[in-house]
Amino acid sequence: MHLHPVKSCVALALALFTLTACTTAPAHLPIVPTHVAAGVSEPILIATTRASSEDPDIRLTPGRGELSFARADVWVPANRLAGEITHPSLPADPTREFALTGYQADLAPEAWSAMLDQHLSSMPLAERQVFVFVHGFNTPFSDGLYLNAQILNDFGVRTAAVHYAWPSAGHWPAYLYDRDSAQFARDGLVETLERVSDSPASSIILLAHSMGSMVTMEALRQLSLEGRADVLSRLDPVILASPDIDFDVFLNQLDAIDPPPAHLAVLVSDRDRVLALSDSLRGGHQSCLGIGRQRDALVERGIAVIDLSELRDGTLLGHVDFATSETLMQLAASGALSEALNGEPGQARESGLGALADIAARIIYLPARALGER
């Protein structure tokens, strides 16, 4: 059955309107006093290609700018549900809302790197990893920063943290602006990964969400073209959550990356309404990587796939379930996710974890060989 072009456009417009109606203004970034409530302050180093703002409530705008560096200490209140982000009101209530406990803008690159090195040096030698997060489409700076802190807190990530903030417009109708910004932001991520690679980290965990996966794959491809195998070899694992990339484009990018990631994992869901809309913008060919239609093809290529389609404890739109699902958090605590991301044979799923092991067996698809093996 073929839809009439006009009817298709009307349906798409209605979908955009529905999603736009759910959009809120960027969250505030107030600084609250420390030790005033129960919670944790997560230190996050920021690399960004957003333009700066003199407004301390915004810090960074959706505009495009040169690569710059900052640091934020993000307050995560203890009084909340796992996976929940309560944006700050005016005035902010640190007993239940996210906020900042400190912010340092316009850091010199050398000072930023020194902060990273100092943080790593304070950690046990075997645990000196860096977690780099690349946010997705429709993400104001504040929202991406709070999401990063929530992931660190709820998934028990105890590494040095780097947040790459690329210039997303932060509202639904600017989809094409964000796609152009994803290309614009590639070189900034390349430089950021090079700088992180110069640190004493044992490895770099790279997590990209949604359209941030396009930024990431383009950056890895550029590193390969520049002969930076030394940087690429330190990225382990690389995780693409709900990637907003065409499958064929992804394969072309992957084939150009040498060496490929030692361990590459893709988180997919056929319930992701945001990616369904993105796929309709591509002509409805079901080619969006994050929807998961190509799951078996990915596994055959040596890529681990985590299919979140059957999980029901995520969000209404299904686009940030990788960060909000308590089931996924429990799998992370059990070790099953770590095994999947590191290409291990799945001992946690066979270790008597009961219902949790059954869930892991249903949603985690491990390749028989690692990516890049011949």
Side-chain angles (χ1 to χ4, degrees):
M1 180 178 68
H2 298 283
L3 293 178
H4 190 280
V6 174
K7 292 182 179 179
S8 297
C9 290
V10 171
L12 180 57
L14 288 173
L16 279 170
F17 176 80
T18 300
L19 291 174
T20 303
C22 298
T23 303
T24 58
H28 302 290
L29 287 167
I31 294 180
V32 298
T34 57
H35 309 303
V36 295
V40 175
S41 187
E42 297 282 359
I44 300 177
L45 291 174
I46 299 160
T48 182
T49 45
R50 291 176 180 262
S52 63
S53 170
E54 295 182 357
D55 185 349
D57 207 37
I58 297 174
R59 302 288 180 179
L60 296 172
T61 76
R64 299 164 184 159
E66 296 182 356
L67 181 65
S68 61
F69 301 93
R71 169 179 168 151
D73 294 281
V74 184
W75 177 252
V76 181
N79 181 24
R80 65 184 182 90
L81 299 175
E84 180 184 44
I85 300 176
T86 307
H87 290 158
S89 52
L90 290 176
D93 180 1
T95 65
R96 62 182 185 85
E97 296 173 341
F98 281 62
L100 303 183
T101 59
Y103 193 87
Q104 295 172 267
D106 301 320
L107 293 173
E110 296 76 15
W112 188 88
S113 293
M115 286 183 177
L116 178 60
D117 292 354
Q118 183 178 16
H119 190 166
L120 289 168
S121 298
S122 68
M123 301 166 62
L125 187 61
E127 300 175 9
R128 292 180 183 177
Q129 294 180 303
V130 179
F131 175 80
V132 180
F133 178 60
V134 185
H135 66 75
F137 159 67
N138 185 37
T139 305
F141 170 61
S142 55
D143 298 43
L145 191 60
Y146 289 145
L147 176 61
N148 194 339
Q150 178 259 309
I151 293 169
L152 294 171
N153 189 269
D154 291 346
F155 283 85
V157 180
R158 294 293 172 257
T159 67
V162 171
H163 181 74
Y164 185 66
W166 56 277
S168 165
H171 58 96
W172 292 98
Y175 184 83
L176 294 181
Y177 177 88
D178 276 20
R179 283 189 66 85
D180 289 341
S181 288
Q183 297 294 328
F184 170 85
R186 175 198 63 200
D187 291 347
L189 182 56
V190 167
E191 185 174 338
T192 300
L193 293 175
E194 289 174 336
R195 188 167 292 278
V196 173
S197 180
D198 287 336
S199 75
S202 58
S203 65
I204 302 165
I205 304 167
L206 180 54
L207 169 62
H209 177 226
S210 184
M211 199 176 287
S213 298
M214 175 64 78
V215 183
T216 296
M217 291 300 294
E218 283 296 302
L220 300 190
R221 181 177 180 274
Q222 186 64 29
L223 283 167
S224 182
L225 292 174
E226 294 176 3
R228 296 305 308 267
D230 58 324
V231 178
L232 291 169
S233 63
R234 303 194 66 196
L235 304 176
D236 189 19
V238 174
I239 309 161
L240 307 181
S242 307
D244 189 3
I245 309 177
D246 178 87
F247 180 65
D248 293 329
V249 171
F250 168 74
L251 293 183
N252 282 342
Q253 292 168 325
L254 189 60
D255 288 342
I257 299 171
D258 185 22
H263 299 105
L264 175 60
V266 179
L267 279 67
V268 304
S269 174
D270 63 13
R271 296 187 304 104
D272 191 323
R273 294 173 61 190
V274 175
L275 293 186
L277 178 57
S278 174
D279 196 66
S280 70
L281 292 171
R282 292 179 169 90
H285 298 299
Q286 299 182 334
S287 61
C288 186
L289 180 63
I291 294 176
R293 297 282 180 175
Q294 304 87 5
R295 185 184 67 199
D296 293 342
L298 292 173
V299 174
E300 288 176 4
R301 287 184 65 102
I303 300 169
V305 177
I306 302 175
D307 191 338
L308 308 181
S309 299
E310 72 172 67
L311 298 186
R312 293 296 184 267
D313 56 355
T315 60
L316 178 63
L317 295 180
H319 194 51
V320 290
D321 289 2
F322 78 100
T324 62
S325 168
E326 289 192 65
T327 301
L328 211 57
M329 295 173 197
Q330 292 168 5
L331 288 173
S334 76
L337 279 188
S338 176
E339 291 171 357
L341 299 178
N342 291 290
E344 296 174 6
Q347 296 173 4
R349 288 175 290 163
E350 301 170 359
S351 60
L353 292 174
L356 196 60
D358 293 338
I359 294 173
R362 292 199 303 270
I363 73 171
I364 298 175
Y365 297 81
L366 297 181
R369 58 181 175 81
L371 185 64
E373 288 184 1
R374 305 299 180 188

